[in-house]
PDB file of all heavy atoms in Angstrom:
ATOM      1  N   LEU Y  11     194.459 117.304 -30.218  1.00 88.00           N
ATOM      2  CA  LEU Y  11     193.857 117.883 -31.405  1.00 88.00           C
ATOM      3  C   LEU Y  11     194.005 119.401 -31.374  1.00 88.00           C
ATOM      4  O   LEU Y  11     193.741 120.039 -30.366  1.00 88.00           O
ATOM      5  CB  LEU Y  11     192.372 117.503 -31.468  1.00 88.00           C
ATOM      6  CG  LEU Y  11     191.554 118.100 -32.608  1.00 88.00           C
ATOM      7  CD1 LEU Y  11     192.026 117.550 -33.950  1.00 88.00           C
ATOM      8  CD2 LEU Y  11     190.072 117.808 -32.394  1.00 88.00           C
ATOM      9  N   LEU Y  15     192.395 122.577 -36.724  1.00 96.00           N
ATOM     10  CA  LEU Y  15     192.132 121.432 -37.603  1.00 96.00           C
ATOM     11  C   LEU Y  15     190.685 120.958 -37.529  1.00 96.00           C
ATOM     12  O   LEU Y  15     190.317 119.993 -38.194  1.00 96.00           O
ATOM     13  CB  LEU Y  15     193.071 120.271 -37.258  1.00 96.00           C
ATOM     14  CG  LEU Y  15     194.560 120.510 -37.516  1.00 96.00           C
ATOM     15  CD1 LEU Y  15     195.368 119.286 -37.122  1.00 96.00           C
ATOM     16  CD2 LEU Y  15     194.816 120.865 -38.980  1.00 96.00           C
ATOM     17  N   PRO Y  17     187.020 121.144 -38.642  1.00 98.00           N
ATOM     18  CA  PRO Y  17     186.319 121.743 -39.781  1.00 98.00           C
ATOM     19  C   PRO Y  17     185.179 122.649 -39.339  1.00 98.00           C
ATOM     20  O   PRO Y  17     184.522 122.392 -38.319  1.00 98.00           O
ATOM     21  CB  PRO Y  17     185.801 120.529 -40.560  1.00 98.00           C
ATOM     22  CG  PRO Y  17     185.788 119.412 -39.574  1.00 98.00           C
ATOM     23  CD  PRO Y  17     186.904 119.679 -38.626  1.00 98.00           C
ATOM     24  N   VAL Y 150     184.789 117.879 -29.300  1.00 98.00           N
ATOM     25  CA  VAL Y 150     185.187 116.779 -30.183  1.00 98.00           C
ATOM     26  C   VAL Y 150     185.639 115.584 -29.353  1.00 98.00           C
ATOM     27  O   VAL Y 150     185.256 114.433 -29.618  1.00 98.00           O
ATOM     28  CB  VAL Y 150     186.311 117.222 -31.136  1.00 98.00           C
ATOM     29  CG1 VAL Y 150     186.831 116.032 -31.949  1.00 98.00           C
ATOM     30  CG2 VAL Y 150     185.828 118.321 -32.071  1.00 98.00           C
ATOM     31  N   LYS Y 165     190.069 107.705 -30.711  1.00 95.00           N
ATOM     32  CA  LYS Y 165     190.782 107.614 -31.989  1.00 95.00           C
ATOM     33  C   LYS Y 165     190.385 108.806 -32.851  1.00 95.00           C
ATOM     34  O   LYS Y 165     189.285 108.839 -33.413  1.00 95.00           O
ATOM     35  CB  LYS Y 165     190.458 106.287 -32.669  1.00 95.00           C
ATOM     36  CG  LYS Y 165     190.893 105.084 -31.823  1.00 95.00           C
ATOM     37  CD  LYS Y 165     190.340 103.782 -32.352  1.00 95.00           C
ATOM     38  CE  LYS Y 165     190.786 102.631 -31.455  1.00 95.00           C
ATOM     39  NZ  LYS Y 165     190.148 102.683 -30.118  1.00 95.00           N
ATOM     40  N   VAL Y 166     191.278 109.780 -32.932  1.00 97.00           N
ATOM     41  CA  VAL Y 166     191.014 111.018 -33.650  1.00 97.00           C
ATOM     42  C   VAL Y 166     192.204 111.335 -34.547  1.00 97.00           C
ATOM     43  O   VAL Y 166     193.359 111.122 -34.166  1.00 97.00           O
ATOM     44  CB  VAL Y 166     190.788 112.195 -32.670  1.00 97.00           C
ATOM     45  CG1 VAL Y 166     190.545 113.499 -33.429  1.00 97.00           C
ATOM     46  CG2 VAL Y 166     189.620 111.899 -31.732  1.00 97.00           C
ATOM     47  N   SER Y 167     191.922 111.833 -35.749  1.00 97.00           N
ATOM     48  CA  SER Y 167     192.976 112.263 -36.662  1.00 97.00           C
ATOM     49  C   SER Y 167     192.459 113.447 -37.467  1.00 97.00           C
ATOM     50  O   SER Y 167     191.270 113.503 -37.798  1.00 97.00           O
ATOM     51  CB  SER Y 167     193.386 111.126 -37.604  1.00 97.00           C
ATOM     52  OG  SER Y 167     194.385 111.551 -38.508  1.00 97.00           O
ATOM     53  N   ALA Y 168     193.311 114.403 -37.781  1.00 97.00           N
ATOM     54  CA  ALA Y 168     192.870 115.586 -38.521  1.00 97.00           C
ATOM     55  C   ALA Y 168     194.011 116.183 -39.326  1.00 97.00           C
ATOM     56  O   ALA Y 168     195.176 116.132 -38.908  1.00 97.00           O
ATOM     57  CB  ALA Y 168     192.313 116.637 -37.555  1.00 97.00           C
ATOM     58  N   VAL Y 169     193.671 116.745 -40.483  1.00 97.00           N
ATOM     59  CA  VAL Y 169     194.649 117.439 -41.324  1.00 97.00           C
ATOM     60  C   VAL Y 169     193.986 118.664 -41.940  1.00 97.00           C
ATOM     61  O   VAL Y 169     192.757 118.790 -41.960  1.00 97.00           O
ATOM     62  CB  VAL Y 169     195.207 116.541 -42.454  1.00 97.00           C
ATOM     63  CG1 VAL Y 169     195.916 115.328 -41.907  1.00 97.00           C
ATOM     64  CG2 VAL Y 169     194.093 116.154 -43.428  1.00 97.00           C
ATOM     65  N   ILE Y 180     189.942 118.292 -42.594  1.00 98.00           N
ATOM     66  CA  ILE Y 180     189.408 116.927 -42.619  1.00 98.00           C
ATOM     67  C   ILE Y 180     189.622 116.336 -41.236  1.00 98.00           C
ATOM     68  O   ILE Y 180     190.760 116.205 -40.776  1.00 98.00           O
ATOM     69  CB  ILE Y 180     190.105 116.056 -43.677  1.00 98.00           C
ATOM     70  CG1 ILE Y 180     190.044 116.709 -45.060  1.00 98.00           C
ATOM     71  CG2 ILE Y 180     189.465 114.665 -43.724  1.00 98.00           C
ATOM     72  CD1 ILE Y 180     190.886 115.997 -46.107  1.00 98.00           C
ATOM     73  N   LEU Y 181     188.550 115.984 -40.557  1.00 98.00           N
ATOM     74  CA  LEU Y 181     188.601 115.442 -39.203  1.00 98.00           C
ATOM     75  C   LEU Y 181     188.003 114.045 -39.188  1.00 98.00           C
ATOM     76  O   LEU Y 181     186.907 113.829 -39.713  1.00 98.00           O
ATOM     77  CB  LEU Y 181     187.811 116.339 -38.249  1.00 98.00           C
ATOM     78  CG  LEU Y 181     187.543 115.806 -36.827  1.00 98.00           C
ATOM     79  CD1 LEU Y 181     188.842 115.693 -36.041  1.00 98.00           C
ATOM     80  CD2 LEU Y 181     186.550 116.701 -36.097  1.00 98.00           C
ATOM     81  N   GLY Y 182     188.727 113.099 -38.611  1.00 97.00           N
ATOM     82  CA  GLY Y 182     188.229 111.732 -38.486  1.00 97.00           C
ATOM     83  C   GLY Y 182     188.124 111.312 -37.038  1.00 97.00           C
ATOM     84  O   GLY Y 182     189.042 111.533 -36.249  1.00 97.00           O
ATOM     85  N   ILE Y 183     186.995 110.710 -36.683  1.00 97.00           N
ATOM     86  CA  ILE Y 183     186.773 110.180 -35.340  1.00 97.00           C
ATOM     87  C   ILE Y 183     186.269 108.750 -35.497  1.00 97.00           C
ATOM     88  O   ILE Y 183     185.313 108.508 -36.244  1.00 97.00           O
ATOM     89  CB  ILE Y 183     185.734 111.010 -34.561  1.00 97.00           C
ATOM     90  CG1 ILE Y 183     186.106 112.488 -34.565  1.00 97.00           C
ATOM     91  CG2 ILE Y 183     185.609 110.502 -33.124  1.00 97.00           C
ATOM     92  CD1 ILE Y 183     184.998 113.395 -34.060  1.00 97.00           C
ATOM     93  N   ALA Y 184     186.894 107.811 -34.818  1.00 96.00           N
ATOM     94  CA  ALA Y 184     186.518 106.412 -34.987  1.00 96.00           C
ATOM     95  C   ALA Y 184     186.536 105.674 -33.658  1.00 96.00           C
ATOM     96  O   ALA Y 184     187.094 106.147 -32.671  1.00 96.00           O
ATOM     97  CB  ALA Y 184     187.458 105.723 -35.972  1.00 96.00           C
ATOM     98  N   ALA Y 209     183.033 105.035 -37.842  1.00 95.00           N
ATOM     99  CA  ALA Y 209     184.009 106.026 -38.292  1.00 95.00           C
ATOM    100  C   ALA Y 209     183.276 107.200 -38.907  1.00 95.00           C
ATOM    101  O   ALA Y 209     182.417 107.023 -39.782  1.00 95.00           O
ATOM    102  CB  ALA Y 209     184.975 105.413 -39.304  1.00 95.00           C
ATOM    103  N   TYR Y 210     183.616 108.396 -38.438  1.00 97.00           N
ATOM    104  CA  TYR Y 210     183.003 109.624 -38.931  1.00 97.00           C
ATOM    105  C   TYR Y 210     184.107 110.530 -39.460  1.00 97.00           C
ATOM    106  O   TYR Y 210     184.942 111.005 -38.688  1.00 97.00           O
ATOM    107  CB  TYR Y 210     182.227 110.321 -37.813  1.00 97.00           C
ATOM    108  CG  TYR Y 210     181.075 109.496 -37.305  1.00 97.00           C
ATOM    109  CD1 TYR Y 210     181.271 108.533 -36.315  1.00 97.00           C
ATOM    110  CD2 TYR Y 210     179.805 109.652 -37.825  1.00 97.00           C
ATOM    111  CE1 TYR Y 210     180.217 107.750 -35.863  1.00 97.00           C
ATOM    112  CE2 TYR Y 210     178.740 108.879 -37.380  1.00 97.00           C
ATOM    113  CZ  TYR Y 210     178.956 107.931 -36.401  1.00 97.00           C
ATOM    114  OH  TYR Y 210     177.916 107.149 -35.958  1.00 97.00           O
ATOM    115  N   ILE Y 211     184.125 110.739 -40.777  1.00 97.00           N
ATOM    116  CA  ILE Y 211     185.106 111.619 -41.401  1.00 97.00           C
ATOM    117  C   ILE Y 211     184.351 112.860 -41.875  1.00 97.00           C
ATOM    118  O   ILE Y 211     183.438 112.766 -42.704  1.00 97.00           O
ATOM    119  CB  ILE Y 211     185.815 110.948 -42.593  1.00 97.00           C
ATOM    120  CG1 ILE Y 211     186.254 109.525 -42.224  1.00 97.00           C
ATOM    121  CG2 ILE Y 211     186.994 111.795 -43.035  1.00 97.00           C
ATOM    122  CD1 ILE Y 211     187.220 109.430 -41.069  1.00 97.00           C
ATOM    123  N   LEU Y 212     184.727 114.017 -41.336  1.00 98.00           N
ATOM    124  CA  LEU Y 212     184.014 115.261 -41.593  1.00 98.00           C
ATOM    125  C   LEU Y 212     184.937 116.264 -42.270  1.00 98.00           C
ATOM    126  O   LEU Y 212     186.096 116.408 -41.890  1.00 98.00           O
ATOM    127  CB  LEU Y 212     183.510 115.862 -40.281  1.00 98.00           C
ATOM    128  CG  LEU Y 212     182.811 114.906 -39.305  1.00 98.00           C
ATOM    129  CD1 LEU Y 212     182.590 115.595 -37.974  1.00 98.00           C
ATOM    130  CD2 LEU Y 212     181.499 114.413 -39.878  1.00 98.00           C
ATOM    131  N   VAL Y 277     194.270 110.727 -42.988  1.00 97.00           N
ATOM    132  CA  VAL Y 277     193.398 110.621 -41.817  1.00 97.00           C
ATOM    133  C   VAL Y 277     192.910 109.189 -41.642  1.00 97.00           C
ATOM    134  O   VAL Y 277     192.963 108.628 -40.542  1.00 97.00           O
ATOM    135  CB  VAL Y 277     192.198 111.586 -41.951  1.00 97.00           C
ATOM    136  CG1 VAL Y 277     191.121 111.275 -40.909  1.00 97.00           C
ATOM    137  CG2 VAL Y 277     192.667 113.022 -41.788  1.00 97.00           C
ATOM    138  N   CYS Y 278     192.440 108.574 -42.725  1.00 96.00           N
ATOM    139  CA  CYS Y 278     191.897 107.216 -42.630  1.00 96.00           C
ATOM    140  C   CYS Y 278     192.972 106.192 -42.280  1.00 96.00           C
ATOM    141  O   CYS Y 278     192.718 105.245 -41.528  1.00 96.00           O
ATOM    142  CB  CYS Y 278     191.207 106.841 -43.937  1.00 96.00           C
ATOM    143  SG  CYS Y 278     189.715 107.777 -44.277  1.00 96.00           S
ATOM    144  N   LEU Y 281     193.699 106.438 -38.543  1.00 96.00           N
ATOM    145  CA  LEU Y 281     192.620 105.839 -37.764  1.00 96.00           C
ATOM    146  C   LEU Y 281     192.642 104.320 -37.864  1.00 96.00           C
ATOM    147  O   LEU Y 281     192.427 103.619 -36.871  1.00 96.00           O
ATOM    148  CB  LEU Y 281     191.266 106.375 -38.231  1.00 96.00           C
ATOM    149  CG  LEU Y 281     190.967 107.840 -37.927  1.00 96.00           C
ATOM    150  CD1 LEU Y 281     189.630 108.236 -38.541  1.00 96.00           C
ATOM    151  CD2 LEU Y 281     190.956 108.106 -36.423  1.00 96.00           C
TER     152      LEU Y 281
END
Side-chain angles (χ1 to χ4, degrees):
L11 176 67
L15 294 180
V150 174
K165 299 169 181 69
V166 179
S167 179
V169 299
I180 306 172
L181 170 67
I183 307 169
Y210 297 85
I211 314 300
L212 314 170
V277 167
C278 292
L281 291 176

